Amino acid sequence: MLNILFLFTGIALLTIGGEALIRGSLAAARRLGVSPLLSGIVIVGFGTSAPELVVSVNAAIEGKPDIAIGNVVGSNISNILLILGICALITPLTVKPLVLKRDAATVVAASILFLILVGGSALGRADAAILLAALFAYLIWAYWSESFHASPAGELHRAESKEISVDSKSTLWIVFAIGLGLLLLIGGSQVLLIGAIGIAEHYNVPEAVIGLTLVAVGTSLPELSISVIAAVRRHADVAIGNILGSNIFNLLGILGVSALLQPLPVHARILQFDQWVMLGTSLILLLFLYTQRHLSRLEGGMLLIGYGIYVWLSFTLFRG
């Protein structure tokens, strides 16, 4: 029971910390005159992945590579199957494919890059450099194309920054929010790791399974919050755009930073199963955006069932 309490306490601290960091950063960006475009790409799109970042970096430093990598791979799977499934149940998601095609293609490309780099069963520092270089190239490409060319994606990222209402705030409030957010994220990651490792040891479940499921869903709550709010407001492009931005940063940024600090061996089950599920879900989303352009409640329910099957397999057939 104590380990479960640690797990949920860590998730709560990460969620509150991520929310405080995003709101403080957005308020600072608006006070400093940072464009809504850049705020949407970096602060909202990537800021929702702050819990994944601190958990994976912490796990890497503490010699828990299965949780570091499992958290990222599992988050990317749950973002598409679980979060988009919930959003589609709230309201059918109709999107403009031109708005999202670049980011959807980037998610698939990043997933393929991950498969290539872990072919040697580990992510080394050279692999980390490649991932971070790819992220840097994406950011330059995104900002350049959206700043100097008429781009539907540019309007999407501006809308992302406006999805979170942040009124005019004092400098003291901004500093407090950012500082509190960082402290809660760091503390929450430590508490969550204690609970996750304790649960894995108590129930004799591999740490990779815990990282791919419980930890991954827990650190994805900011993405869930932003996307559900957008779905309720009928902003389907923002809901899906937030998921795409998070998945890009998870693979290129979080794994890049984690492996740069500490080379990460990859668990056999991730190589045999989970990385292919991650690629498959990315391809499903890309296909949806390029063809039907509408995610119905029935299809949202199918995504949720798919996630349920994935979790069931994780705790039964793939325990070892």
Side-chain angles (χ1 to χ4, degrees):
M1 279 298 295
L2 187 59
N3 288 322
I4 295 174
L5 179 62
F6 275 131
L7 180 74
F8 283 104
T9 301
I11 289 172
L13 292 174
L14 287 168
T15 304
I16 297 169
E19 181 78 7
L21 181 63
I22 291 172
R23 290 184 179 276
S25 300
L26 275 177
R30 290 173 188 178
R31 178 174 282 266
L32 294 173
V34 176
S35 71
L37 170 61
L38 191 59
S39 297
I41 293 176
V42 178
I43 297 175
V44 178
F46 293 166
T48 52
S49 290
E52 286 99 324
L53 175 62
V54 292
V55 168
S56 286
V57 167
N58 236 339
I61 293 173
E62 294 187 10
K64 302 293 180 181
D66 291 346
I67 291 180
I69 296 179
N71 177 38
V72 168
V73 174
S75 289
N76 278 25
I77 293 170
S78 65
N79 280 351
I80 294 174
L81 296 181
L82 177 64
I83 296 179
L84 285 187
I86 291 172
C87 290
L89 285 181
I90 293 171
T91 181
L93 301 177
T94 302
V95 300
K96 307 177 186 69
L98 288 176
V99 174
L100 298 165
K101 67 176 185 179
R102 182 200 63 210
D103 289 353
T106 302
V107 170
V108 173
S111 300
I112 293 173
L113 178 61
F114 173 80
L115 264 67
I116 293 171
L117 293 179
V118 300
S121 302
L123 283 176
R125 289 192 170 92
D127 301 318
I130 293 172
L131 291 171
L132 291 172
L135 176 64
F136 186 65
Y138 165 77
L139 287 173
I140 292 177
W141 175 33
Y143 190 68
W144 177 81
S145 63
E146 295 172 14
S147 295
F148 303 105
H149 298 275
S151 168
E155 292 305 314
L156 168 65
H157 288 304
R158 291 183 181 92
E160 280 183 327
S161 71
K162 297 173 183 176
E163 200 68 34
I164 302 174
S165 57
V166 179
D167 299 325
S168 179
K169 301 292 184 181
S170 67
T171 302
L172 181 63
W173 184 93
I174 292 171
V175 172
F176 175 77
I178 293 175
L180 178 65
L182 290 172
L183 286 174
L184 291 177
L185 284 170
I186 294 170
S189 69
Q190 294 280 4
V191 174
L192 182 140
L193 280 178
I194 292 171
I197 294 168
I199 290 172
E201 292 175 349
H202 181 76
Y203 292 101
N204 195 28
V205 177
E207 290 180 1
V209 173
I210 299 298
L212 285 156
T213 53
L214 297 179
V215 175
V217 172
T219 56
S220 292
L221 290 181
E223 288 94 333
L224 175 63
S225 173
I226 298 294
S227 293
V228 166
I229 290 171
V232 170
R233 295 174 178 172
R234 304 293 195 271
H235 298 167
D237 287 341
V238 173
I240 298 177
N242 175 55
I243 296 301
L244 293 173
S246 175
N247 281 18
I248 292 169
F249 184 67
N250 286 348
L251 283 171
L252 302 180
I254 294 176
L255 284 184
V257 172
S258 300
L260 193 64
L261 294 172
Q262 180 67 46
L264 303 172
V266 184
H267 195 280
R269 69 151 280 170
I270 294 177
L271 294 172
Q272 297 166 3
F273 178 62
D274 302 284
Q275 65 174 355
W276 302 106
V277 175
M278 180 180 70
L279 177 61
T281 56
S282 301
L283 288 170
I284 287 172
L285 183 57
L286 181 67
L287 184 66
F288 153 64
L289 292 173
Y290 271 84
T291 55
Q292 190 174 354
R293 304 167 191 176
H294 178 83
L295 191 64
S296 67
R297 287 191 173 93
L298 176 61
E299 290 160 333
M302 292 173 63
L303 290 179
L304 287 175
I305 291 172
Y307 188 70
I309 293 171
Y310 169 74
V311 172
W312 175 76
L313 289 173
S314 293
F315 282 95
T316 54
L317 300 182
F318 293 95
R319 281 178 62 97

